[in-house]
């Protein structure tokens, strides 16, 4: 599998990663042990542009009180699928941003195989979403922040590299990582502040 990190010099890479659950945001320093440098500024500009589309979807999730993760599927130079986290609103535990974007793209393209497509997502996919990426035959995955508790691409496992799979996915990490991390971190910080606020005083 080709692995790309956002660096122009071949040095060891460390990145801040973000994890979330219902109450807590955890920042952790994670080391990267295998990398290939990216020096094509044009390719980086394209990834930045489409990651901003994914960030816009994450903001839609945030505004709906869902965990702010967003995703888009790009085929050629066109966004063919968009999705954001909405398991609460849909009462559907599978309604992660990646799955929603893949479903949308499959409907638009008219095929459950999205061969040659790139999936941009603001947070490292979980095991379920990594499986969906393989089944959809996504050719390239680009994500922003790593997820040390549940990320299944780099953090807790490298699911897309499993030898039993007959499909390989090119992976690019840390694209607009700071913005992706800050969005989800601020969401949970606000939730904690609301939860810790004192109750209103009772009228006399």
């Amino acid at each position: 599998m080709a692995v790309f990190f956002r660096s122009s010099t071949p040095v060891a890479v460390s990145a801040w990663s973000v994890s979330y659950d219902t109450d807590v945001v955890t920042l952790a320093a994670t080391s990267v042990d295998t990398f290939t440098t990216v020096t094509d500024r044009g390719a980086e500009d394209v990834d930045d542009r489409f990651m901003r589309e994914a960030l816009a979807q994450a903001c839609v999730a945030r505004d709906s009180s869902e965990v702010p993760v967003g995703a888009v599927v790009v085929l050629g130079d066109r966004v063919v699928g968009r999705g954001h986290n909405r398991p609460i609103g849909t009462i559907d535990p599978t309604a992660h941003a990646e799955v929603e974007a893949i479903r949308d793209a499959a409907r638009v393209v008219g095929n459950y195989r999205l061969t040659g497509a790139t999936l941009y997502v603001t947070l490292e996919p979980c095991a379920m979403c990594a499986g969906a990426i393989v089944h959809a035959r996504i050719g390239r995955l680009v994500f922003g922040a790593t997820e040390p508790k549940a990320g299944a691409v780099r953090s807790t496992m490298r699911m897309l590299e499993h030898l039993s799979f007959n499909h390989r996915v090119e992976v690019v990490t840390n694209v607009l990582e700071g913005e992706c991390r800050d969005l989800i971190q601020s969401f949970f910080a606000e939730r904690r502040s609301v939860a810790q606020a004192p109750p209103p005083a009772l009228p006399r």
Side-chain angles (χ1 to χ4, degrees):
M1 176 188 296
V3 182
F4 298 90
F5 297 92
R6 298 296 294 277
S7 174
S8 59
T9 54
V11 297
V13 176
S14 293
W16 284 103
S17 57
V18 59
S19 176
Y20 66 87
D21 54 29
T22 56
D23 299 307
V24 179
V25 173
T26 302
L27 292 178
T30 57
S31 295
V32 176
D33 54 8
T34 304
F35 67 93
T36 302
T37 60
V38 174
T39 56
D40 184 350
R41 183 62 246 176
E44 291 185 8
D45 287 342
V46 170
D47 286 344
D48 288 356
R49 175 161 60 95
F50 287 122
M51 186 59 77
R52 293 198 186 282
E53 295 263 6
L55 278 164
Q57 289 295 310
C59 290
V60 174
R62 177 200 61 197
D63 294 344
S64 302
S65 298
E66 302 269 6
V67 174
V69 180
V72 296
V73 176
V74 175
L75 197 55
D77 195 38
R78 184 168 68 99
V79 175
V80 294
R82 291 177 170 84
H84 57 272
N85 262 10
R86 56 191 198 120
I88 299 171
T90 60
I91 318 175
D92 179 1
T94 71
H96 288 194
E98 301 95 318
V99 172
E100 293 289 291
I102 288 170
R103 287 172 175 165
D104 189 35
R107 284 190 293 265
V108 170
V109 173
N111 196 327
Y112 74 109
R113 300 293 200 203
L114 299 172
T115 305
T118 298
L119 174 67
Y120 291 84
V121 60
T122 57
L123 191 68
E124 180 182 3
C126 67
M128 177 187 73
C129 294
I133 288 167
V134 171
H135 283 293
R137 298 299 189 262
I138 296 290
R140 186 167 177 262
L141 167 67
V142 181
F143 69 83
T146 53
E147 216 291 39
K149 287 189 176 180
V153 178
R154 287 288 172 271
S155 298
T156 64
M157 64 183 82
R158 291 179 175 245
M159 187 170 169
L160 295 179
E161 299 176 30
H162 200 284
L163 295 177
S164 67
F165 291 154
N166 63 353
H167 177 68
R168 292 291 174 261
V169 181
E170 177 187 319
V171 176
V172 180
T173 74
N174 299 335
V175 174
L176 301 185
E177 185 269 342
E179 294 179 46
C180 295
R181 181 191 69 237
D182 291 346
L183 180 62
I184 198 167
Q185 183 181 13
S186 62
F187 173 81
F188 282 104
E190 182 178 351
R191 284 188 56 174
R192 287 198 305 276
S193 67
V194 170
Q196 294 168 2
L202 295 175
R204 294 188 177 184

